[in-house]
Amino acid sequence: MIEITTTRHNHLIDPSLHIWGWEIPVYLFLGGMVAGMMLISGYFLFSGRYKETNCSCYYLPIMSFLLLSLGMFALFLDLEHKPYVWRLYTTFQITSPMSWGSWILVLVYPILFASMLMRPHRLLLEKIPHVKKWHEYLHSKPMLIKYLGVVSMFFGAAIGMYTGVLLSSLGARPLWSSSILWLLFLVSGLSSAAAFVHLIAKNVYERELLAKSDNAFLILELFIITVFLIGLSSNSDVHAKALDLLMTGKYAAVFWVFVIGMGIVIPLFIQLLAVNHKIHHTPIAPIMVIIGGLILRFVIVAAGQYSHWYVLTN
Amino acid sequence: MAYLSRRRFLKISGASIVATAALSSASGIVKGAKKIEEKTGKQVKGIQKIPTYCSMCFWKCSAIAYVKDGKLWKIEGNPEDPLSNGRLCPRGTGGVGAHYDPDRLKAPLIRKSERGEEKWVQVTWDEALDYIAKKMNKIKNEYGPESIGFFSHGIGGGFFKHLLKAYGTRNIAAPSFDQCLGPRDTAFEITYGDVVGGPERTDIENAECIVLFGSHIGENMHNTQVQEFSKAVERGASIIVVDPRMSTAATKAKYYLPIKPGTDLALLLTWINILISENLYDKDYVEKYTFGFEQLKAAVSGYTPEWAYPITGIEPELIRETAHEIARYIPHTLVHPGRHSVWYGDDTQRGRALAIINALIGSWGRKGGLTNQDVFDIPSYPYPPYPKPERERADNPGGKYPFGGAEGYTTGLREATLTENPYPIKGWFVYGTNILYSLPNTQETIDAIQKLDLLVVIDVVPSEIAGYADVVLPEAVYLERYDDLFAPYFKQPFVSIRQPVVDPPHDQKPGWWIAKKLGEKLGLQKYFPWKNIEEYLDTRLKLAGLSLAELKKKGVIKGPKIPLYIEEGFEPEFETPTGKIELYSTILAEKGFDPIPKFTKHEDPPPGYFRLLFGRAPMHSFSRTQTNRLLNNVMDENEVWVNADVVKRLGLKPGEYVRLKNQDGVLSNKVRIKATERIRTDCVYIVHGFGHNARMLKGAYLKGASDSQLITKYKVDPLMGGTGMNVNFVTFETEA
Amino acid sequence: MARFGMVIDTAKCVGCADCVVACETENNVPEGYARDWIKQVATGKFPNTQLEIRSERCNHCSDAPCVTACPTGASHFHDVGGIVLVDHNECIGCKACIASCPYDARFVHPEGYVDKCTFCVHRVEEGLDPACVSVCPTHCMHFGDLDDPNSEVSKLLNSRKHHSLLPEAGTKPNIFYLI
Ligand SMILES: Nc1nc2c(c(=O)[nH]1)N[C@H]1C(S)=C(S)[C@@H](COP(=O)(O)OP(=O)(O)OC[C@H]3O[C@@H](n4cnc5c(=O)[nH]c(N)nc54)[C@H](O)[C@@H]3O)O[C@H]1N2
Ligand SMILES: Nc1nc2c(c(=O)[nH]1)N[C@H]1C(S)=C(S)[C@@H](COP(=O)(O)OP(=O)(O)OC[C@H]3O[C@@H](n4cnc5c(=O)[nH]c(N)nc54)[C@H](O)[C@@H]3O)O[C@H]1N2
Ligand code: SF4
Ligand code: SF4
Ligand code: SF4
Ligand code: SF4
Ligand code: SF4
Ligand SMILES: [Mo]
């Protein structure tokens, strides 16, 4: 038996680290979903689908803009020293994913704005001559739209990966120190975004396409989760113990029921039936996928914070 | 007995006869920062360093307080101080928290409902002192002045002792004797004609082998001892710890003997037997300095390791091996005499065995043993003589306890109050002692209080005992006041000063001021001839050839070095009837007690119960520091230590809250279980001082459990009235 | 280049927490927070139990993940001795550094910035020992330059068995515990 007594008592850290509350998972989730949406919308721009007037690439940028801003706001809420937030942008710290992230996010906004020029709001078109000029210029240069699609996909992927790298770079939390957390978050972001588009797409073809791709993403996600879990179990002892938090421990119930069951397997099953026309499309499945994606971020952030070297080694 | 402490007593009172006329008042001295501010109208900027001595426990290390921009910042040790050597213990460092304690008493209070209900009316100092004076005069008229008793602990009580002696009573007692070191010092007085004293004369620093019975140094944070112990550890001294619980010190020991509680005397007598029968003792020393060796030899011959094994639970081989280890380093072995020695009621006899074994290894007057001590002789203030009480002291009627008594018998005073025998006690003063937590059997104390016409408590926080007072007087904490000079017996004689560092934050007053004001209201002005405390201190210092100004600047002034060991020219004198170290005690024989200790068996816990042991945490003092936010920060509740196997067997959960229930059905506050591999299976352990139930102690209220509540039973030492408190048994009540 | 570190003798430490209290007053650490703390680890079966008592704090790691994680540069290596510090006016309170520290040495100060042990740089620059070191009644703590082979800390490390905390976390901690 190992007995430990300690005089430690730092708020939010003892007895076990809990520095990040709801804000960070929400931010990571929204960031991930925006990443997925940018990939999807970028792809539609790139592949020329924007020629369909009801293509979702017309409204995804504005939604991305709103959701991303919401996510940034959540992140801002989490900052403890808010008046100093501008300090993020007086420096670039090459080793810090968070610094990368904040600069990437700054670059993402112009891309979203440019994408919004594909079909600006009527009022803007009428009131601001520049908007009209740029809008027309964009539509006169199909190559430019293609590039915009590529850049959008590129930055979408960057954000998606960043949300995972942010956590996995923090080696002090064994649960996060996985080399594929970025892929998991990227794919999960894609699946949430696909579900979202599936849910709201006006274009029947897109709806079908995205339901199908969502199924692919979900299958991929299951596969990555398996690799993620196996990776932890075959790493050191602490990592294996961190894994236990998800397998059998404190966070197992939420993880298996909400993330795996209701967030992936059941909606996958429903959507498989739907795309094979066994049942009608239902909004239930995509909603479950989206909620599952959100809960995944909550579980990973919470369990990761809990997965402390000391807690796990003693 | 008058005989005890005579040497020390003579020395001090002898000096006080020297009186001189030249009394000049001190002037132009730096006071608390805020005072300067008031005087000059300027805010004091920057850092001031003000020497003073610590009062977070009774060791009284000298310290230097830092005041930054007029606010108390931090406290460090005074490098000149032989007690602290410039480093305080955590409580001393945390003394800052005593000044800032939000739970402090702020103004005098007079009770407005039942005693113990903690309901008060705030009054002015004049109102409070008038009220007290009126009641005191009434008691004096109806019952005589001896009917006031005084419980006092700490140097600050000195001015009240003076006041009450002037008033006409000698019924003064401190828990530092019959709840603390009484048995030990009585035993040494009987054996060596001198006490171990406090600060103890133990030369831990130079000992090559150190034996500790209990004495949990490192948890018991008496600064000098801890520092010396650490040096001994560094030197690789051989350490033997005898304790049912693996104390911090035990984890650093070469030998740890997990003794069954209450059987130490068996082990000691066996060791003594081995030292004698195997001819391992210091023969020259014993020959030269001791009396009664042959009687001792005969008396202990039956105490073999095989006999001791079933009693103590210590393997015979281990007993032999450790006896040899003790002998190996003679004369630089120290069997620590302990300090808090009121355990089982036969403690003076255990103390005798400790005294005897130290004689056999020749430690008194030896390097690494029990050294010579001396005092910086500072005459007392030339007061007029006190009135002579008409009646004997009430705390030991008929000399029931033939030994001890120098500091009074607290439980004796309590009993006299309860029984009105030998005469009624109608008023109590309580200064600096939370007698509801320091005396055993709280109910007896409460019952005695209900017989009083007046209970005055002078405290700094609304302690449990303050909750029962008729009048509560808020004292300024030690950092905000002067107290008397401190000049203890020590291996390096010195004198140190306590002086105000900052002002009291509210209407708190220093003890000397309260005593003087009350004295004036009682018509005892002639006993307070000094204008203020500076004048008093300066007078005493001048009599010793020093000045207040100098001491205020330095904090500590050392006397000349003295020879510590026989090798350095120290010539021990033993003021016993035979003039020798009495292995066989002639005075014990004369009074009809065992002249050589005999092992007596103590009651075992009933099935399902565990003996309740208690002790110290390094960051707290008794029941007085739990609201100190700095110390509370590092320990805010105590835990009950239970052997891990017992926890499993009883189906308890580590860390869960339980209540302890004692043999008389008394339930404690809830307390967490510490499942540990550091204690025997027949006892449990808690740190004393927690589990406060005075509601106004907001920072400590109901945090942890109180041993005091559970100590309903106690065994009185027939020699000196010490109250053995390790005789209570507890069991667990879950669903706390 | 100096590399400041501590060498703490667990054989002498008694776990009194004086180092914790001294840090609180010296550095005005707010109530309810601590820059250093005591950990007692007991192993084995009674009565053959072993106990290691450690005074712990930020390890001022040479490979400090808190510094690499910081997006603003608020967490940085001080010019002197490689002390890891937080610049309060650059810190945005994102807590990435907290999540990246395997020792949980950092906390959010009630004023919003992240705080932790500074190795008492204000004292060290004046040639004093850190407050916790200079208060310790058992003299079990030592502070100095680990890169100087003649320093007390280096000599202790050369002459005694020692370990550091979580070396497997790869942070190269600069506090060592003598056994
Ligand atoms: N931090 C701090 N330090 C203090 C104080 C404080 O309040 N706080 N108070 C000071 C004062 S006034 C005193 S008197 C001292 C008291 O401190 P000590 O004189 O050291 O007190 P003890 O009662 O000897 O020590 C308690 C130890 O005795 C063990 N013990 C209990 N029963 C037995 C037994 O039957 N046999 C043996 N061999 N051991 C037993 C307990 O397990 C515990 O480890 O501490 C002083 N130092
Ligand atoms: N159950 C149990 N009883 C014990 C012990 C034990 O371990 N367990 N230990 C015994 C021992 S060894 C001793 S020495 C005694 C100690 O016994 P006490 O001296 O009674 O110790 P405390 O419980 O700390 O009570 C001290 C009181 O003085 C108050 N006080 C603190 N500072 C000042 C001040 O500056 N001025 C005034 N006026 N008041 C102040 C505190 O608020 C507190 O109410 O207890 C003994 N009794
Ligand atoms: S031992 Fe500690 S509490 Fe006691 S006087 Fe010294 S510094 Fe103060
Ligand atoms: S002050 Fe020293 S002895 Fe006390 S806990 Fe700290 S390091 Fe250990
Ligand atoms: S201990 Fe933690 S805070 Fe300190 S330098 Fe290392 S990683 Fe950073
Ligand atoms: S909380 Fe402050 S110090 Fe820590 S990483 Fe963020 S900005 Fe840097
Ligand atoms: S070095 Fe200074 S800041 Fe660090 S723990 Fe020690 S006292 Fe506190
Ligand atoms: Mo005591």
Side-chain angles (χ1 to χ4, degrees):
Chain A
M1 174 171 143
I2 301 176
E3 286 163 51
I4 297 180
T5 37
T6 168
T7 64
R8 284 197 53 145
H9 48 71
N10 282 329
H11 184 53
L12 297 178
I13 295 178
D14 298 306
S16 62
L17 187 77
H18 190 75
I19 50 162
W20 283 334
W22 62 269
E23 298 92 341
I24 295 296
V26 164
Y27 161 70
L28 293 178
F29 167 73
L30 291 175
M33 199 155 92
V34 166
M37 283 158 56
M38 286 178 75
L39 279 162
I40 292 168
S41 130
Y43 172 73
F44 287 165
L45 292 180
F46 175 76
S47 63
R49 273 204 57 75
Y50 63 88
K51 286 167 193 141
E52 305 250 352
T53 50
N54 59 358
C55 174
S56 53
C57 64
Y58 289 115
Y59 47 87
L60 283 181
I62 173 96
M63 290 190 156
S64 298
F65 167 76
L66 293 174
L67 290 176
L68 189 62
S69 303
L70 206 61
M72 294 281 276
F73 185 65
L75 174 68
F76 176 73
L77 285 184
D78 177 67
L79 296 183
E80 306 280 349
H81 218 201
K82 295 189 179 59
Y84 294 78
V85 60
W86 52 277
R87 284 290 190 179
L88 275 172
Y89 298 107
T90 55
T91 178
F92 172 63
Q93 297 291 325
I94 193 158
T95 57
S96 163
M98 204 176 269
S99 187
W100 278 92
S102 37
W103 283 108
I104 291 175
L105 290 169
V106 169
L107 298 179
V108 158
Y109 275 101
I111 297 164
L112 291 177
F113 290 139
S115 308
M116 282 186 245
L117 286 175
M118 290 296 294
R119 187 190 287 160
H121 195 272
R122 190 171 42 86
L123 275 177
L124 291 177
L125 267 182
E126 286 165 8
K127 292 269 146 67
I128 309 171
H130 282 295
V131 170
K132 184 158 195 265
K133 208 171 92 200
W134 290 333
H135 168 69
E136 282 162 2
Y137 181 74
L138 190 59
H139 278 280
S140 70
K141 291 261 187 322
M143 269 318 275
L144 201 58
I145 296 179
K146 251 188 167 30
Y147 287 142
L148 184 60
V150 172
V151 173
S152 183
M153 283 192 283
F154 176 81
F155 277 90
I159 308 179
M161 291 190 278
Y162 152 70
T163 61
V165 171
L166 176 64
L167 296 184
S168 62
S169 69
L170 306 172
R173 312 290 143 187
L175 185 80
W176 295 337
S177 47
S178 156
S179 53
I180 55 160
L181 200 60
W182 65 271
L183 194 57
L184 174 58
F185 277 20
L186 180 64
V187 173
S188 161
L190 263 171
S191 82
S192 300
F196 186 67
V197 179
H198 170 194
L199 199 63
I200 60 164
K202 299 186 179 109
N203 183 301
V204 182
Y205 166 79
E206 279 182 14
R207 206 184 306 149
E208 194 81 351
L209 175 72
L210 283 159
K212 277 188 190 143
S213 26
D214 196 15
N215 287 347
F217 294 144
L218 289 174
I219 291 169
L220 189 58
E221 198 179 340
L222 271 183
F223 176 71
I224 295 168
I225 288 180
T226 313
V227 176
F228 170 71
L229 297 179
I230 292 174
L232 279 174
S233 75
S234 55
N235 205 326
S236 76
D237 217 36
V238 257
H239 293 90
K241 282 192 182 140
L243 171 67
D244 285 345
L245 290 173
L246 296 183
M247 298 300 281
T248 51
K250 223 170 134 84
Y251 298 92
V254 187
F255 180 69
W256 290 107
V257 175
F258 289 100
V259 177
I260 304 293
M262 299 176 65
I264 302 179
V265 177
I266 296 175
L268 177 63
F269 186 68
I270 297 175
Q271 285 184 160
L272 278 175
L273 293 179
V275 293
N276 291 316
H277 305 289
K278 299 269 191 322
I279 55 171
H280 285 291
H281 275 285
T282 134
I284 292 180
I287 287 176
M288 284 171 102
V289 170
I290 291 170
I291 294 176
L294 179 63
I295 295 178
L296 172 74
R297 305 310 193 285
F298 270 98
V299 170
I300 297 287
V301 169
Q305 294 190 75
Y306 189 83
S307 77
H308 183 284
W309 281 85
Y310 281 120
V311 175
L312 299 176
T313 45
N314 292 317
Chain B
M1 75 187 174
Y3 177 82
L4 295 185
S5 292
R6 190 182 64 203
R7 196 153 146 247
R8 292 189 165 195
F9 185 69
L10 281 180
K11 206 158 189 176
I12 295 166
S13 57
S16 70
I17 297 163
V18 191
T20 79
L23 310 182
S24 80
S25 76
S27 58
I29 290 155
V30 188
K31 284 230 206 111
K34 216 169 115 211
K35 284 233 178 74
I36 301 178
E37 214 169 293
E38 277 160 12
K39 274 193 195 133
T40 61
K42 267 188 286 186
Q43 147 111 56
V44 184
K45 278 279 168 208
I47 292 167
Q48 289 172 281
K49 301 181 194 177
I50 304 170
T52 189
Y53 65 78
C54 179
S55 184
M56 296 298 288
C57 83
F58 304 104
W59 202 253
K60 306 185 199 74
C61 301
S62 280
I64 296 179
Y66 286 65
V67 177
K68 196 190 208 164
D69 299 340
K71 288 189 74 184
L72 178 62
W73 170 29
K74 62 173 177 179
I75 312 174
E76 291 179 353
N78 184 336
E80 287 306 307
D81 171 34
L83 291 178
S84 73
N85 303 302
R87 297 188 177 214
L88 301 180
C89 87
R91 301 162 296 157
T93 308
V96 174
H99 168 66
Y100 291 114
D101 192 338
D103 293 341
R104 285 179 66 172
L105 290 165
K106 298 184 170 73
L109 303 173
I110 291 183
R111 181 166 61 82
K112 83 167 179 211
S113 66
E114 290 286 290
R115 282 191 173 125
E117 281 189 355
E118 302 179 76
K119 301 220 169 98
W120 314 97
V121 198
Q122 190 171 318
V123 296
T124 64
W125 278 97
D126 251 341
E127 286 167 326
L129 296 179
D130 281 337
Y131 180 93
I132 296 168
K134 214 172 94 202
K135 289 259 183 169
M136 285 177 79
N137 284 330
K138 191 155 174 266
I139 291 173
K140 195 176 202 163
N141 290 337
E142 284 176 26
Y143 303 96
E146 302 86 354
S147 289
I148 298 255
F150 183 28
F151 296 87
S152 172
H153 196 186
I155 200 162
F159 294 102
F160 292 91
K161 279 187 193 161
H162 170 64
L163 169 74
L164 290 167
K165 284 181 183 169
Y167 169 84
T169 180
R170 294 293 158 84
N171 286 319
I172 300 172
S176 45
F177 187 76
D178 49 352
Q179 280 75 46
C180 180
L181 50 69
R184 178 203 72 185
D185 268 5
T186 306
F188 272 74
E189 191 87 59
I190 289 169
T191 314
Y192 292 81
D194 202 352
V195 295
V196 179
E200 278 74 7
R201 56 172 78 236
T202 46
D203 193 14
I204 299 171
E205 181 170 5
N206 293 304
E208 287 172 22
C209 175
I210 301 161
V211 186
L212 301 176
F213 280 85
S215 291
H216 52 337
I217 296 174
E219 291 158 292
N220 157 358
M221 206 63 204
H222 273 164
N223 197 347
T224 325
Q225 302 227 10
V226 175
Q227 295 194 12
E228 292 196 9
F229 185 73
S230 153
K231 282 188 191 158
V233 170
E234 175 160 353
R235 270 190 298 103
S238 172
I239 297 166
I240 302 172
V241 174
V242 185
D243 196 316
R245 179 188 67 105
M246 192 180 229
S247 60
T248 301
T251 65
K252 315 208 175 282
K254 179 166 172 193
Y255 294 99
Y256 166 52
L257 309 187
I259 197 165
K260 178 175 168 185
T263 66
D264 302 82
L265 195 45
L267 176 65
L268 276 162
L269 292 168
T270 307
W271 273 348
I272 291 173
N273 183 24
I274 297 173
L275 290 178
I276 294 177
S277 60
E278 297 188 24
N279 264 316
L280 299 170
Y281 62 99
D282 187 337
K283 281 169 222 75
D284 296 341
Y285 188 95
V286 166
E287 178 117 350
K288 186 161 175 203
Y289 294 115
T290 70
F291 168 83
F293 179 74
E294 288 308 321
Q295 289 101 312
L296 175 68
K297 183 173 174 175
V300 297
S301 63
Y303 297 121
T304 63
E306 285 67 27
W307 165 80
Y309 175 44
I311 295 172
T312 59
I314 317 272
E315 306 270 349
E317 246 342 281
L318 193 52
I319 298 182
R320 275 201 189 85
E321 201 178 322
T322 43
H324 293 161
E325 186 79 3
I326 289 169
R328 178 167 306 134
Y329 301 97
I330 285 175
H332 306 301
T333 299
L334 170 70
V335 181
H336 196 292
R339 180 176 172 110
H340 171 256
S341 42
V342 283
W343 289 353
Y344 300 97
D346 61 347
D347 305 301
T348 307
Q349 290 291 13
R350 188 182 66 253
R352 278 272 297 150
L354 287 160
I356 290 169
I357 195 167
N358 273 299
L360 293 179
I361 59 177
S363 76
W364 188 280
R366 300 303 257 293
K367 190 166 184 178
L370 299 161
T371 71
N372 183 24
Q373 285 191 328
D374 207 351
V375 69
F376 198 125
D377 219 343
I378 311 241
S380 20
Y381 193 91
Y383 286 128
Y386 298 124
K388 214 174 149 35
E390 282 168 17
R391 290 176 287 184
E392 61 159 346
R393 291 176 54 139
D395 58 352
N396 189 16
K400 188 159 81 173
Y401 309 117
F403 303 98
E407 294 185 64
Y409 304 93
T410 53
T411 45
L413 188 52
R414 180 175 76 182
E415 194 174 318
T417 311
L418 262 175
T419 60
E420 310 206 340
N421 171 41
Y423 49 85
I425 301 284
K426 286 295 171 186
W428 281 6
F429 271 68
V430 178
Y431 176 94
T433 170
N434 189 5
I435 51 176
L436 286 175
Y437 273 53
S438 42
L439 305 195
N441 198 324
T442 321
Q443 195 54 48
E444 265 182 68
T445 311
I446 293 172
D447 291 345
I449 290 172
Q450 302 303 5
K451 306 210 66 163
L452 298 174
D453 293 341
L454 175 66
L455 172 57
V456 180
V457 171
I458 303 120
D459 208 315
V460 292
V461 292
S463 61
E464 280 73 15
I465 187 62
Y468 278 85
D470 302 324
V471 187
V472 182
L473 302 178
E475 194 178 22
V477 302
Y478 70 103
L479 295 160
E480 302 153 358
R481 66 178 198 240
Y482 279 104
D483 260 323
D484 214 337
L485 301 168
F486 177 52
Y489 274 86
F490 193 57
K491 58 184 168 188
Q492 162 73 68
F494 67 91
V495 56
S496 58
I497 190 166
R498 173 172 297 157
Q499 60 180 323
V501 171
V502 280
D503 277 350
H506 309 96
D507 199 11
Q508 301 97 341
K509 295 284 182 194
W512 64 265
W513 181 94
I514 306 171
K516 183 173 159 73
K517 274 275 172 306
L518 183 56
E520 285 161 5
K521 292 202 188 282
L522 289 166
L524 300 169
Q525 292 85 330
K526 73 168 174 167
Y527 290 97
F528 293 91
W530 32 272
K531 241 187 12 253
N532 55 29
I533 184 83
E534 280 117 321
E535 185 182 306
Y536 165 90
L537 295 172
D538 203 36
T539 306
R540 286 196 65 195
L541 286 165
K542 287 228 168 78
L543 293 175
L546 302 173
S547 87
L548 180 59
E550 185 192 7
L551 189 55
K552 278 176 71 81
K553 214 164 78 212
K554 294 186 176 161
V556 187
I557 295 175
K558 289 187 234 183
K561 283 222 177 309
I562 55 161
L564 293 178
Y565 316 123
I566 293 171
E567 293 83 344
E568 290 179 351
F570 164 51
E571 288 174 17
E573 288 165 44
F574 304 105
E575 296 198 16
T576 57
T578 57
K580 302 244 174 184
I581 305 172
E582 294 203 346
L583 306 177
Y584 174 95
S585 168
T586 53
I587 48 176
L588 283 181
E590 186 190 310
K591 299 272 180 190
F593 295 102
D594 292 337
I596 290 170
K598 282 197 187 106
F599 175 69
T600 40
K601 204 179 154 346
H602 299 292
E603 192 190 343
D604 283 330
Y609 280 80
F610 303 84
R611 188 180 295 276
L612 175 69
L613 303 181
F614 52 89
R616 308 281 177 249
M619 52 291 267
H620 282 283
S621 291
F622 316 106
S623 77
R624 62 165 55 203
T625 51
Q626 289 72 30
T627 59
N628 178 317
R629 298 304 196 267
L630 279 167
L631 300 177
N632 195 287
N633 219 24
V634 279
M635 180 177 181
D636 63 352
E637 62 182 340
N638 58 1
E639 297 169 304
V640 55
W641 294 43
V642 189
N643 180 286
D645 291 342
V646 172
V647 171
K648 217 178 274 162
R649 176 159 56 77
L650 298 182
L652 300 167
K653 283 192 268 326
E656 82 172 313
Y657 280 105
V658 296
R659 287 175 201 275
L660 302 177
K661 189 169 89 183
N662 81 355
Q663 71 281 337
D664 298 323
V666 173
L667 263 190
S668 74
N669 294 334
K670 63 189 173 62
V671 59
R672 261 181 216 280
I673 293 213
K674 174 187 166 88
T676 179
E677 294 290 352
R678 289 179 59 194
I679 192 165
R680 285 172 60 95
T681 53
D682 54 2
C683 49
V684 297
Y685 175 88
I686 58 177
V687 168
H688 168 62
F690 285 86
H692 282 279
N693 49 26
R695 279 187 297 276
M696 283 150 70
L697 297 175
K698 296 211 176 62
Y701 184 57
L702 296 187
K703 287 188 184 159
S706 157
D707 56 334
S708 315
Q709 275 172 358
L710 297 166
I711 299 176
T712 47
K713 206 161 74 179
Y714 57 100
K715 281 231 161 66
V716 180
D717 191 318
L719 279 79
M720 46 59 70
T723 53
M725 301 196 279
N726 291 11
V727 296
N728 290 270
F729 306 120
V730 296
T731 182
F732 305 97
E733 296 264 301
T734 44
E735 67 200 34
Chain C
M1 259 293 277
R3 178 168 57 101
F4 285 140
M6 280 186 188
V7 174
I8 303 175
D9 190 346
T10 62
K12 284 164 73 182
C13 174
V14 294
C16 66
D18 204 358
C19 43
V20 182
V21 181
C23 180
E24 304 270 331
T25 56
E26 174 73 30
N27 298 304
N28 285 313
V29 180
E31 189 183 318
Y33 294 82
R35 289 183 178 185
D36 54 347
W37 58 92
I38 307 303
K39 194 169 272 178
Q40 304 207 8
V41 184
T43 47
K45 193 92 192 122
F46 185 80
N48 300 310
T49 318
Q50 270 88 49
L51 183 70
E52 180 170 286
I53 310 176
R54 297 190 301 254
S55 170
E56 298 185 2
R57 59 189 52 55
C58 166
N59 282 284
H60 296 273
C61 308
S62 291
D63 269 356
C66 55
V67 173
T68 41
C70 178
T72 64
S75 282
H76 65 282
F77 293 104
H78 187 54
D79 306 338
V80 186
I83 299 178
V84 175
L85 295 177
V86 182
D87 185 330
H88 301 170
N89 296 322
E90 282 180 25
C91 175
I92 60 171
C94 69
K95 298 168 283 191
C97 53
I98 297 184
S100 73
C101 170
Y103 309 97
D104 284 354
R106 297 170 163 247
F107 59 90
V108 182
H109 190 284
E111 283 168 23
Y113 54 82
V114 160
D115 199 19
K116 68 169 193 72
C117 163
T118 59
F119 261 175
C120 282
V121 63
H122 64 291
R123 291 174 60 97
V124 170
E125 284 179 343
E126 285 185 9
L128 297 169
D129 269 336
C132 51
V133 173
S134 75
V135 78
C136 173
T138 70
H139 289 257
C140 74
M141 302 173 84
H142 308 270
F143 179 84
D145 180 3
L146 294 163
D147 278 349
D148 172 2
N150 294 317
S151 66
E152 189 192 20
V153 280
S154 298
K155 284 185 186 152
L156 281 166
L157 287 186
N158 285 332
S159 61
R160 295 266 305 268
K161 267 203 200 154
H162 57 265
H163 69 97
S164 59
L165 300 180
L166 296 178
E168 62 272 36
T171 59
K172 299 208 185 117
N174 284 315
I175 296 185
F176 297 89
Y177 295 90
L178 302 177
I179 307 169

